[in-house]
Amino acid sequence: MTTDTTDVATPRNGASPDPDDAAHVASPRALAWARRRRALADFWRTFRTHRSGLVGLVVLLLIAVLALAAPLLVGSDSRSVTEAPGKSLESPSGRFPLGTDQFGRSLLALMVWGARVSLAVGLLAAVLTVAIGTLVGVTAGHFKGWYATVIMRVTDWFLVMPTLVLAIALATVLDRSIWTTILAIGVTTWPTTARLVRAQTLSVESRPYIERARALGGGHKHVMLRHVLPNVMPLVLAQTTLVISNAILTEATLAFLGLGDPIMVSWGGLLQDARDAGAVSSGDWWYLAPPGLAIALVALAFTLCGRAIESVLNPKLGDRR
């Protein structure tokens, strides 16, 4: 009796097999990355069909580039009060396209620098918010009994309390810094994300493959990290883009109320400086309009991107072009 020594990886056309190709094909990690690349390609292909989402993405990219290139575009000395190049509250001109503030600094340069702080605070606060909300939502949906009851009652308490009031109280108690603002926003705006993630977790854990995973010996960590979390991540991603816009608005509100970092230049801080300088009563519109429009524009751009992402990840929402 002869023994078949043909390798299963040998092509049928007689060509010699490539060990590297065979190992690549047989690698589960390589297959997983291939699926992820295809999923990203499909996501981008569908996202491009949402014109409003593309407009929001382009606006965000332009503002991000300006913020990152601030030292090259306007220079670090443009924030200095002692080296201000203009007069106090000059109206827009060829030299100062957006006018000057009460110290004679170019408002255009301050707007570019302010984009850095506003975007950084919005992104970091949104990450903190979504991280807390996801942790609470997944654990509350996975573990039943007293833990879920207690954690959801705490969540309900945060929901009924005014978010801005809680953020103001926390920012008042702690030191005035950018990290205090991020912490104040993050620990007061997570309940909405927690309830959304918990509802999605309950839906995922009711599916048959979760029961099979548990029957095969999968523990709590395995079920939450390998099955539940990947299924709630699309919802978390869409929620993040929406939370960023709220975080930027909250940061601007705190800065406008004088609870932001007095050293950092932000759009909300510019509004607060304009109020202190009496720009409203004196009619210096160029001091008020640019920061307010910038805040509204960025918030709108993040909202458009978030809605487009949500529509792509959940086709049941319909076409939102």
Side-chain angles (χ1 to χ4, degrees), residues 10-317:
T10 303
R12 294 187 178 182
N13 57 7
S16 59
D18 190 345
D20 295 334
D21 290 343
H24 178 74
V25 171
S27 173
R29 181 172 297 181
L31 294 175
W33 279 108
R35 286 195 298 267
R36 290 168 186 164
R37 286 193 295 267
R38 287 196 299 269
L40 288 175
D42 294 339
F43 172 83
W44 174 244
R45 190 180 305 110
T46 308
F47 183 85
R48 289 185 301 177
T49 63
H50 295 75
R51 291 184 292 272
S52 60
L54 281 179
V55 171
L57 181 61
V58 170
V59 171
L60 291 177
L61 289 177
L62 289 176
I63 295 177
V65 170
L66 289 176
L68 292 175
L72 300 177
L73 294 177
V74 297
S76 300
D77 57 347
S78 58
R79 297 172 294 175
S80 175
V81 177
T82 58
E83 300 178 4
K87 299 179 181 179
S88 175
L89 297 176
E90 287 189 37
S91 59
S93 61
R95 183 184 180 189
F96 302 109
L98 296 182
T100 62
D101 66 351
Q102 74 268 34
F103 302 111
R105 299 176 296 179
S106 172
L107 275 176
L108 179 60
L110 295 178
M111 286 289 296
V112 175
W113 277 109
R116 280 193 157 196
V117 176
S118 296
L119 290 178
V121 171
L123 290 171
L124 294 177
V127 169
L128 179 59
T129 298
V130 172
I132 297 175
T134 302
L135 177 63
V136 172
V138 171
T139 54
H142 178 79
F143 296 104
K144 308 300 188 295
W146 66 269
Y147 173 80
T149 301
V150 171
I151 201 69
M152 294 313 299
R153 295 297 77 78
V154 174
T155 303
D156 293 338
W157 183 84
F158 274 95
L159 279 174
V160 299
M161 290 294 293
T163 301
L164 184 58
V165 174
L166 290 176
I168 291 174
L170 189 57
T172 303
V173 173
L174 301 178
D175 295 333
R176 293 173 58 187
S177 66
I178 186 174
W179 300 110
T180 298
T181 302
I182 294 172
L183 182 64
I185 297 173
V187 300
T188 57
T189 57
W190 57 267
T192 302
T193 302
R195 293 195 69 88
L196 291 174
V197 173
R198 178 178 180 268
Q200 184 68 11
T201 300
L202 292 175
S203 175
V204 171
E205 294 212 353
S206 64
R207 298 172 185 174
Y209 68 88
I210 298 294
E211 295 295 332
R212 290 196 296 268
R214 289 171 175 167
L216 293 174
H220 297 298
K221 181 179 179 181
H222 174 83
V223 172
M224 288 190 293
L225 295 182
R226 298 296 299 273
H227 298 289
V228 175
L229 191 59
N231 282 280
V232 302
M233 283 307 296
L235 175 64
V236 171
L237 177 61
Q239 182 68 10
T240 301
T241 56
L242 300 177
V243 170
I244 292 175
S245 61
N246 293 330
I248 292 176
L249 293 174
T250 305
E251 183 276 331
T253 303
L254 293 176
F256 179 74
L257 296 175
L259 299 175
D261 191 342
I263 302 176
M264 306 295 293
V265 176
S266 67
W267 292 337
L270 291 177
L271 290 176
Q272 196 263 347
D273 292 340
R275 184 194 60 179
D276 292 343
V280 178
S281 59
S282 60
D284 298 330
W285 58 268
W286 62 88
Y287 204 169
L288 291 168
L293 291 176
I295 294 170
L297 181 63
V298 171
L300 177 61
F302 272 113
T303 301
L304 292 177
C305 286
R307 294 301 183 188
I309 293 173
E310 189 179 14
S311 181
V312 172
L313 298 178
N314 188 3
K316 295 180 181 179
L317 295 176

